[in-house]
Amino acid sequence: MHQFLVQHARPPCRPVCAEAAPETKSAGRLGRPAPGRAMDGPDGPIVPPDIACRIVRHLVLEMTALASDRPLWRRDGRRSTSHVRQVAMYICHVVLSLPLAEIGAAFGRDRTTVGHACHRVEDRRDDASFDAFVASIERAVLAVFGPSGIGSDA
């Protein structure tokens, strides 16, 4: 199974060594990969935080649709969309250890909105069925991204 690492912070700009060869012909002189291709880290490909958040949001959306016993009604659309977004933000912060500001940027929201979402989901985890649902999403995200200090500075 492939595991992805989420790059926590952008590394500082450094001059490229002369022995570093470009990965593709279109990479140019600086040895950068072609646009749209993931860079390989020591433990596998590195996924930028915004793409990792998009993957988590899609996982939450699919698992919500699987767990739902009724189709989403038109009047419930806005509520279910915000519910999925809040759970995805919580998972990105708790499981992937991404900072609130990066999660907010990935979802087009402010960091305080991400904090509010995390508090709302944490409060709802008192319900046993919701806690089991969130725990299953956490396991799925760990299966995709792996448990190795994702998003941490270590």
Side-chain angles (χ1 to χ4, degrees), residues 119-131:
H119 289 295
R120 291 288 303 247
V121 172
E122 192 64 42
D123 290 343
R124 289 192 63 196
R125 287 196 82 165
D126 292 337
D127 180 20
S129 61
F130 184 75
D131 185 46

Side-chain angles (χ1 to χ4, degrees), residues 125-147:
R125 287 196 82 165
D126 292 337
D127 180 20
S129 61
F130 184 75
D131 185 46
F133 173 70
V134 173
S136 66
I137 295 173
E138 287 175 345
R139 286 190 304 271
V141 169
L142 280 174
V144 170
F145 290 100

Side-chain angles (χ1 to χ4, degrees), residues 15-33:
V16 179
C17 299
E19 65 261 3
E23 290 185 19
T24 62
K25 290 181 181 177
S26 63
R29 296 178 299 167
L30 298 177
R32 295 183 185 139

